[in-house]
Each structure stands twice: as structure tokens, then as C-alpha cells.
Amino acid sequence: MMRTMKPQSSRFTVPSWLKWTFIIAGVLLLLSGALVVWMYVSINKDLHAGEDAARKMALNRTEIATVEEVSIYHGKSRVHIVKGKNQDGKDGLVFIDLSKNEILNEQMNLEMITESKLRQSWRADCQNCTFKNIQLGYEEENPVYEITYVDTQNRYVFDYFNLNGERFDQRFAFKQN
């Protein structure tokens, strides 16, 4: 008597098309994750490009003795802003254009309004506006503060102030959709 073998059934048996679907999905997920990491590293490197060169230029060619912060402002050209102190402990700012290897402006021993006081002054003028950001900038060969906000007409506004807090004669407003 010949027995016929009955195939074993198992709850762990998976059709081959389903197995390949999971393998391909896993490979695609791994590749897209690697792409995201590569883009993040690349973009972050570009954001901080030139900070060390700006720091060295400020220390070697100006009165700045210690550097507290280096930021980048994107106006007509990329301007590196080095904030630091001189030998006497007085605050100073240096505005550098690395593409021209040039110091655009050096402000030492300056009396400048703090960002918090400027924001309070701005808030008094624009009570129903939505504040976004404040940063140092360089416009029309002058060091400025740039305040970005959304005004009561739902426009995205770039407003500029001198370092002493006086309104600079430049403002851009963009209507949002």
C-alpha cells in the first residue's frame, strides 16, 4: 500500500510574492532613509560653511579677542556676522564677506539695543502681529536688525532697524496665499 504524502501546512508558510514584496519594500525604505540622512548632513554642512574662516578673520584682522557667536545673513550676498569682545571686554560686531575676503563693517564699543528691548518696542507698534524671528543683518552697507512677522493683513513682513533701535528705511511685505 502506497501512501501519498500530504503537504504539511504551516501558518508560517508565506507566498513567495508576499516575501518579495516585503524584501523590496525594506530595501526601498533603507535607501530612502540613507538619502534623507545624506541630504540632512549635506544641507547642515552648507548652513555652517565659512564660520571657522570668518572666526579666524575676525580674530586676526580686528579688535575682537574672543568670539561668542558666528551667524550668517543672506542679503545681496552671504555675510558672516561675528559677535565677540575685545581685550577690554567691550562688545563688538564684525560683518565679513568671505567671497570677497573683505571686512565690510566693524562695530566696536557700540551702544546697541538688545534684541529683547527691540522686540518690546516693535510689539508696542504692532500689537496684533505674529512675531516670527529677529536677527542681525547687513542691508545697504549698514548693520541692521531684521524682524520678521505676519502683520494684521496676513502679509509676511521683513522690517529693518538700526542697531540703536531706530527704524531703517526698508521694509518688505509679501502677501500670503
Side-chain angles (χ1 to χ4, degrees):
M1 167 163 159
M2 189 166 167
R3 282 188 177 170
T4 58
M5 294 288 286
K6 184 176 167 188
Q8 288 184 339
S9 64
S10 169
R11 56 188 176 140
F12 299 108
T13 304
V14 178
S16 67
W17 65 268
L18 189 59
K19 178 174 63 174
W20 283 108
T21 302
F22 282 126
I23 289 172
I24 291 171
V27 167
L28 288 176
L29 188 63
L30 185 67
L31 288 174
S32 62
L35 177 66
V36 167
V37 168
W38 175 77
M39 286 177 56
Y40 175 79
V41 169
S42 176
I43 290 169
N44 203 28
K45 185 171 60 172
D46 285 347
L47 284 176
H48 301 288
E51 286 183 4
D52 288 335
R55 178 179 281 113
K56 287 177 186 174
M57 185 183 287
L59 290 170
N60 293 335
R61 294 175 48 186
T62 68
E63 294 180 38
I64 295 275
T66 59
V67 174
E68 296 173 354
E69 177 185 357
V70 178
S71 60
I72 301 172
Y73 178 74
H74 300 276
K76 280 186 179 178
S77 63
R78 180 188 284 195
V79 176
H80 288 76
I81 303 167
V82 180
K83 186 186 277 188
K85 295 187 181 293
N86 66 8
Q87 294 288 5
D88 300 329
K90 303 280 185 175
D91 291 330
L93 293 172
V94 180
F95 298 82
I96 300 171
D97 185 345
L98 286 177
S99 65
K100 297 177 183 175
N101 198 28
E102 177 182 10
I103 294 176
L104 302 172
N105 194 309
E106 180 179 354
Q107 301 280 324
M108 298 304 296
N109 302 325
L110 68 148
E111 295 293 325
M112 63 186 260
I113 190 169
T114 63
E115 289 182 11
S116 60
K117 286 184 180 177
L118 181 60
R119 186 173 176 185
Q120 288 173 355
S121 172
W122 166 83
R123 176 59 67 198
D125 291 340
C126 197
Q127 296 173 355
N128 294 324
C129 298
T130 305
F131 178 81
K132 294 294 183 183
N133 189 29
I134 186 170
Q135 69 175 358
L136 285 167
Y138 194 76
E139 288 293 327
E140 297 182 12
E141 299 180 16
N142 290 300
V144 294
Y145 277 115
E146 176 188 69
I147 297 180
T148 52
Y149 60 94
V150 177
D151 68 5
T152 56
Q153 298 173 5
N154 200 31
R155 297 179 301 178
Y156 197 82
V157 180
F158 295 87
D159 207 351
Y160 297 90
F161 295 84
N162 291 328
L163 295 181
N164 61 8
E166 295 173 8
R167 188 173 295 277
F168 193 67
D169 63 347
Q170 193 171 56
R171 172 189 272 175
F172 298 104
F174 301 96
K175 186 171 177 93
Q176 298 187 72
N177 293 331

